[in-house]
Amino acid sequence: MTVQDFETAARTRLDPVHADFIAGGAGDEITVRANEEAFRRLRLLPRVLRGSAVRTQEVTVAGSRARTPVLLSPTAFHKLCDEEGELATARAAAAAGAIMIVSMASTVAVEDIAEAARGAGADGAPAPLWFQLYLQPDLEFTEALVRRATDAGCTALVVTVDSPVRGAHERDLRNGFLDLPDGLRCAHMVDPHEGGRVRSIAMSPEISWAHLDWLRGITSLPILLKGVLHPEDARLAVRHGADGLLLSNHGGRQLDTVPATVELLPEIRAAVAGRVPVVLDGGVRRGTDVVKALALGASAVGIGRPVMWALAEGGEKGVRRLLELLREEVDQALALCGACGVQDLTPDLVRAPAWGPPPLPLPGADTARPGGVVS
Ligand SMILES: Cc1cc2nc3c(=O)[nH]c(=O)nc-3n(C[C@H](O)[C@H](O)[C@H](O)COP(=O)(O)O)c2cc1C
Ligand SMILES: CC(C)CC(=O)C(=O)O
């Protein structure tokens, strides 16, 4: 009945080491918890008598049209959850008309995922697929991967920029989960020039804005940056030609103790000043969470762990049910807010506690804390 139920059910089926890999985060997992808690602290303030009988959830983000504002954030290794892996996920996403962001660390190749999605798209419409990339210091390899994703029909690239090194996943270290089980591999990291050797994904601290400029020069696909948290970086992203941001703290899996993403949303929105869309992920578990994020200015929201749990619980059917459930919950929340669609969701529908940047005590200035970030 709820998104949370999928986790409970999945845990009875999954190897506990793999369940820990999915659930876990970096360090003390403070940010993992903060993401969900922040949504719980926000309150909705609905409008009434607005005639919201005909409702739509359609959105267009960075040129891709979707039937739902809920997209599938990139998650690695779907074959840990289901033997069909990303093929099952792609079919379910296509049936729901949801954007799926294929992880660079997927256990099925993007060409095969695209084929599965094409076969399952409702109304014969192609389901939008985006491709997530960790920029590799080996630019030739990165360029070849961008071409593969483009040729497979992906309509945007999502560059994850919060991973100059990998976050410290202490559950995995304790469990000794350091590699994929035999028989599974990252499909995009098999190097045809090196006799099928599987490369590791480099999370490299040498990656800089210059690499993004290089990427901008080799592709005409929209580029979204995933993992920008500081408003100054959001401004820089726009200046460097990014077409959108995926406001994400990697589900609390990179730097622990960073703020919940929904807390940062108003600041990031203000920084980009409407020039590019902002998608948000992290802790979205309810239709009301989706509505809160959209009201605060997100163009869409992503879900990570729930997809893995649903896949483990029921394969393609599980992910279909998950997406249906969220569609039903979003529809109900829209109706109860007096909204016919995303366009009717505005910041005045949300009451936020007083979070945001700490007050900057200026010499001689009144140091009283400003009110909530949502006015
Ligand atoms: C098991 C797992 C694998 C992930 N793999 C990737 C990945 O390959 N690339 C990436 O950019 N983010 C990855 N993420 C982060 C997600 O894209 C997303 O930011 C996060 O899961 C959203 O938070 P949520 O799980 O609370 O919905 C992963 C997250 C999880 C839980
Ligand atoms: C294997 C990693 C590249 C996947 C990831 O980003 C994560 O586990 O958070």
Side-chain angles (χ1 to χ4, degrees), residues 18 21-24 32 35-36 72-78 80 101-106 132-134 158-163 166 169 201 203 226 246-253 281-285 302-309:
H18 299 160
F21 163 69
I22 296 165
V32 176
N35 280 340
E36 289 188 30
L72 285 72
S73 279
T75 47
F77 312 153
H78 287 197
L80 287 178
I101 310 179
V102 175
S103 167
M104 175 165 168
S106 63
Q132 177 263 327
L133 197 63
Y134 288 107
V158 176
V159 181
T160 302
V161 293
D162 60 11
S163 306
R166 187 136 194 245
H169 295 189
I201 295 180
M203 298 207 173
K226 176 172 186 279
L246 204 174
L247 174 57
S248 171
N249 52 35
H250 217 113
R253 293 162 78 85
D281 79 16
V284 175
R285 301 293 181 265
I303 47 172
R305 292 178 182 86
V307 174
M308 299 293 272
W309 300 131

Side-chain angles (χ1 to χ4, degrees), residues 252-334:
R253 293 162 78 85
Q254 283 300 112
L255 180 63
D256 194 22
T257 77
V258 303
T261 45
V262 74
E263 287 180 46
L264 292 173
L265 181 56
E267 244 186 294
I268 294 290
R269 282 275 307 160
V272 303
R275 281 169 295 184
V276 296
V278 177
V279 178
L280 172 144
D281 79 16
V284 175
R285 301 293 181 265
R286 284 284 188 184
T288 45
D289 298 341
V290 178
V291 164
K292 287 169 183 174
L294 298 177
L296 291 174
S299 298
V301 299
I303 47 172
R305 292 178 182 86
V307 174
M308 299 293 272
W309 300 131
L311 190 61
E313 191 273 328
E316 177 186 340
K317 223 171 119 203
V319 181
R320 274 180 187 248
R321 177 66 196 131
L322 169 75
L323 295 172
E324 255 169 42
L325 183 64
L326 281 168
R327 166 171 283 282
E328 288 159 14
E329 286 193 0
V330 169
D331 183 59
Q332 194 185 43
L334 285 175

Side-chain angles (χ1 to χ4, degrees), residues 114-140:
E115 176 78 36
R118 264 195 299 276
D123 319 328
L129 276 189
W130 293 358
F131 189 80
Q132 177 263 327
L133 197 63
Y134 288 107
L135 286 167
Q136 301 294 285
D138 181 344
L139 295 183
E140 216 177 297

Side-chain angles (χ1 to χ4, degrees), residues 33-328:
R33 289 187 294 277
N35 280 340
E36 289 188 30
E37 283 163 11
F39 275 112
R40 280 193 215 116
R41 285 203 305 273
L42 291 172
R43 300 285 179 263
L44 282 168
L45 199 64
R47 300 297 306 267
V48 296
L49 297 172
R50 293 208 142 190
S52 52
V54 182
R55 294 179 297 280
T56 170
Q57 296 188 28
E58 226 173 77
V59 291
T60 299
V61 191
S64 295
R65 206 159 130 216
R67 281 196 283 124
T68 158
V70 178
L71 58 78
L72 285 72
S73 279
T75 47
F77 312 153
H78 287 197
K79 282 194 178 179
L80 287 178
C81 298
D82 176 82
E83 61 184 23
E84 287 199 293
E86 288 81 0
L87 296 178
T89 316
R91 283 191 216 111
I99 295 169
M100 171 176 173
I101 310 179
V102 175
S103 167
M104 175 165 168
S106 63
T107 41
V108 177
V110 64
E111 295 84 356
D112 299 328
I113 296 172
E115 176 78 36
R118 264 195 299 276
D123 319 328
L129 276 189
W130 293 358
F131 189 80
Q132 177 263 327
L133 197 63
Y134 288 107
L135 286 167
Q136 301 294 285
D138 181 344
L139 295 183
E140 216 177 297
F141 181 84
T142 306
E143 185 165 357
L145 201 48
V146 169
R147 298 242 169 286
R148 277 181 70 178
T150 311
D151 293 346
C154 292
T155 52
L157 296 172
V158 176
V159 181
T160 302
V161 293
D162 60 11
S163 306
V165 296
R166 187 136 194 245
H169 295 189
E170 290 169 16
R171 296 200 207 201
D172 296 343
L173 294 172
R174 285 183 213 281
N175 292 333
F177 181 62
L178 304 172
D179 221 334
L180 278 172
D182 286 347
L184 299 191
R185 57 187 194 176
C186 281
H188 301 116
M189 301 310 287
V190 181
D191 196 331
H193 303 301
E194 293 189 46
R197 180 177 75 93
V198 183
R199 294 172 169 232
S200 303
I201 295 180
M203 298 207 173
S204 172
E206 73 188 73
I207 299 300
S208 72
W209 291 107
H211 290 81
L212 183 68
D213 296 340
W214 166 82
L215 182 68
R216 189 62 294 171
I218 65 150
T219 181
S220 52
L221 285 182
I223 297 173
L224 290 92
L225 294 194
K226 176 172 186 279
V228 165
L229 297 177
H230 198 292
E232 198 47 50
D233 283 338
R235 279 186 275 272
L236 275 171
V238 174
R239 241 177 276 150
H240 282 266
D243 301 285
L245 298 179
L246 204 174
L247 174 57
S248 171
N249 52 35
H250 217 113
R253 293 162 78 85
Q254 283 300 112
L255 180 63
D256 194 22
T257 77
V258 303
T261 45
V262 74
E263 287 180 46
L264 292 173
L265 181 56
E267 244 186 294
I268 294 290
R269 282 275 307 160
V272 303
R275 281 169 295 184
V276 296
V278 177
V279 178
L280 172 144
D281 79 16
V284 175
R285 301 293 181 265
R286 284 284 188 184
T288 45
D289 298 341
V290 178
V291 164
K292 287 169 183 174
L294 298 177
L296 291 174
S299 298
V301 299
I303 47 172
R305 292 178 182 86
V307 174
M308 299 293 272
W309 300 131
L311 190 61
E313 191 273 328
E316 177 186 340
K317 223 171 119 203
V319 181
R320 274 180 187 248
R321 177 66 196 131
L322 169 75
L323 295 172
E324 255 169 42
L325 183 64
L326 281 168
R327 166 171 283 282
E328 288 159 14

